[in-house]
Amino acid sequence: MVTDLLRHEVIRTTHAKSKEVAPLAEKMVTHAKRGDLHNRRQAAAFITDKKVLSKAFDELADRYRDRNGGYTRVIKLGKRAGDGAEMALIELVD
């Protein structure tokens, strides 16, 4: 799910899942900002797509170079119609 968040930059999912994904995505962006070989390998062990990995280290690292954390935002959307699960939107902050 972290790979999909980094690929699409916004995901609509349950609130519980978004709370689990946010710290992991923040850690991947931090690895990308550091940018050395060790951090690239640490991120590659977690991000499953090579295109998304290069996007994180090229685009996202430059975008968040001056930001000290807080790369994701979780917005509650209300309850899902079918089962009443609390829905949320998780996105990368611009």
Side-chain angles (χ1 to χ4, degrees), residues 5-72:
L5 176 61
L6 295 177
R7 178 183 296 125
H8 301 293
E9 299 188 11
V10 63
I11 294 179
R12 183 172 185 259
T13 184
T14 62
H15 183 62
K17 286 181 184 178
S18 66
K19 283 174 39 178
E20 290 290 323
V21 167
L24 299 173
E26 302 244 353
K27 185 178 257 189
M28 294 303 114
V29 173
T30 302
H31 282 310
K33 279 178 58 177
R34 291 184 183 150
D36 59 353
L37 180 61
H38 176 70
N39 284 297
R40 182 175 284 273
R41 287 181 176 166
Q42 290 286 321
F46 201 82
I47 298 173
T48 57
D49 188 0
K50 289 184 180 181
K51 290 180 183 178
V52 176
L53 183 66
S54 64
K55 176 183 178 181
F57 276 81
D58 297 337
E59 296 175 26
L60 298 179
D62 292 337
R63 185 189 313 173
Y64 298 120
R65 184 65 55 199
D66 298 328
R67 191 176 184 97
N68 294 325
Y71 311 117
T72 59

Side-chain angles (χ1 to χ4, degrees), residues 73-85:
R73 175 186 303 139
V74 177
I75 302 170
K76 289 186 178 182
L77 297 176
K79 296 191 181 285
R80 185 163 49 195
D83 60 355

